[in-house]
Amino acid sequence: MNRYRSLLLDRANIRMPGLRILSFALHRHLPKRPSIEPHRHPWSQVLLYLDGQGRQIFQQGAAHVEPGTLVVLPPGVLHSFQRTASRMPQSLIINFHLRGESGQAESIRNVNCSELARVRGNLARLVNLQTESRGILHWEGAMVILELLITMLRAAGWLERARSPSVGETSPAIRQLVASMDPSLPLSYVAKRSGYHRDHLNRLVKKETGLTLGQLRTQQRLAKSCELLAAGIQVREVAATVGLLDQSYFARWFRRQTGRSPSRWKRGQ
């Protein structure tokens, strides 16, 4: 029975010691299906909701679902879904087997702004890769899918969070720069103040954090925006504080990162 319209689908079959990724999909629920009936899987499953609202139902109870809600299920857990808004839910789904999965408990939580932005960035990369390869995701796409799964399993507590790698003698200076970087400042100013050429600084920051200077600034800008919105600061003031002076542009940027407008995100807090 058809439940979804698939926006991105791959029978991944990615294998490595202790892990096998069976499939990867980005789905939009069909309008005629306000609910997904109770069912269970012989594999583990990650569900990350990117749009829409509803109730994720388990045998032990139910939880509200909105953009950024992450659900991780071990094999055999009975679950279902009920839509509670007119907008069709969109979800990222990864089916997998992980060594020791039977000892894990189901997890449901909201990912933070930085994690959600990282997921959306990787999804954009996958769409581009699929377009370039005529619908077939090759090994580069497999690496992105693996990165997505690791990000979500860490967010759910199934995997430990990794420590930042060392970068030798420059690591303390780069760590200090990362910790003190003002998200409202232009990257050219950040590079000039650091004393490094911008390209070299970008390489050092990526080695230290796994992110480019621009990606790091986006994460910090988003985290600061969420912090200020949660504190009740007006949207226009938040936009100015993080260096996006055009309030309309800020609202569009924030929605791209989180799936919600600043006002709607603020109400949800």
Side-chain angles (χ1 to χ4, degrees):
M1 187 177 294
N2 196 4
R3 305 166 179 168
Y4 313 107
R5 177 168 64 91
S6 295
L7 308 176
L8 188 64
L9 179 65
D10 186 58
R11 305 295 181 188
N13 198 23
I14 302 168
R15 297 171 180 262
M16 57 192 62
L19 173 67
R20 180 184 174 193
I21 299 176
L22 305 174
S23 61
F24 168 92
L26 182 61
H27 288 316
R28 174 78 72 182
H29 287 216
L30 293 175
K32 61 184 179 181
R33 298 300 301 274
S35 65
I36 304 298
E37 63 275 6
H39 62 286
R40 50 169 55 97
H41 309 290
W43 51 72
S44 295
Q45 186 176 75
V46 158
L47 286 152
L48 178 63
Y49 287 90
L50 303 171
D51 204 356
Q53 296 186 47
R55 295 172 69 240
Q56 189 77 48
I57 304 167
F58 306 99
Q59 287 179 302
Q60 297 83 0
H64 175 69
V65 165
E66 60 184 359
T69 299
L70 173 66
V71 181
V72 185
L73 304 169
V77 173
L78 187 68
H79 60 287
S80 59
F81 178 83
Q82 291 180 347
R83 194 173 79 232
T84 59
S86 58
R87 192 172 180 86
M88 297 303 106
Q90 184 186 67
S91 57
L92 165 64
I93 301 174
I94 303 179
N95 296 322
F96 65 98
H97 283 300
L98 179 70
R99 183 179 298 155
E101 61 187 8
S102 59
Q104 299 283 359
E106 61 266 28
S107 172
I108 182 165
R109 53 152 292 183
N110 286 337
V111 300
N112 62 42
C113 286
S114 296
E115 291 164 336
L116 187 56
R118 191 178 305 126
V119 168
R120 289 183 181 277
N122 279 329
L123 284 175
R125 287 172 62 194
L126 279 174
V127 171
N128 289 335
L129 286 170
Q130 189 184 50
T131 300
E132 293 169 1
S133 59
R134 300 181 180 179
I136 301 173
L137 292 177
H138 47 63
W139 63 268
E140 190 175 356
M143 292 172 62
V144 178
I145 293 172
L146 179 60
E147 184 177 341
L148 278 165
L149 180 60
I150 290 173
T151 295
M152 291 186 284
L153 290 182
R154 282 178 175 156
W158 278 37
L159 294 177
E160 292 185 5
R161 294 181 181 271
R163 297 180 179 180
S164 297
S166 171
V167 297
E169 296 179 359
T170 62
S171 182
I174 299 302
R175 281 200 296 268
Q176 177 61 28
L177 181 144
V178 167
S180 62
M181 196 169 88
D182 185 342
S184 68
L185 295 176
L187 296 181
S188 57
Y189 180 82
V190 173
K192 183 177 180 180
R193 192 176 64 173
S194 73
Y196 293 106
H197 186 277
R198 180 167 168 174
D199 289 343
H200 183 57
L201 177 62
N202 200 48
R203 287 193 293 271
L204 293 175
V205 168
K206 188 166 186 179
K207 190 174 182 181
E208 176 67 30
T209 67
L211 303 172
T212 65
L213 195 59
Q215 290 169 336
L216 179 66
R217 199 262 301 270
T218 294
Q219 283 199 7
Q220 293 183 336
R221 179 175 275 170
L222 188 58
K224 186 68 174 178
S225 298
C226 292
E227 176 189 333
L228 295 174
L229 289 169
I233 307 300
Q234 293 295 317
V235 173
R236 64 177 180 276
E237 296 179 40
V238 175
T241 300
V242 301
L244 298 176
L245 301 181
D246 185 326
Q247 184 176 337
S248 296
Y249 176 80
F250 170 77
R252 293 194 300 272
W253 171 84
F254 190 90
R255 185 177 180 85
R256 283 199 306 271
Q257 306 303 318
T258 66
R260 288 179 285 176
S261 68
S263 299
R264 183 179 168 196
W265 190 93
K266 188 176 181 180
R267 288 195 299 269
Q269 301 309 299

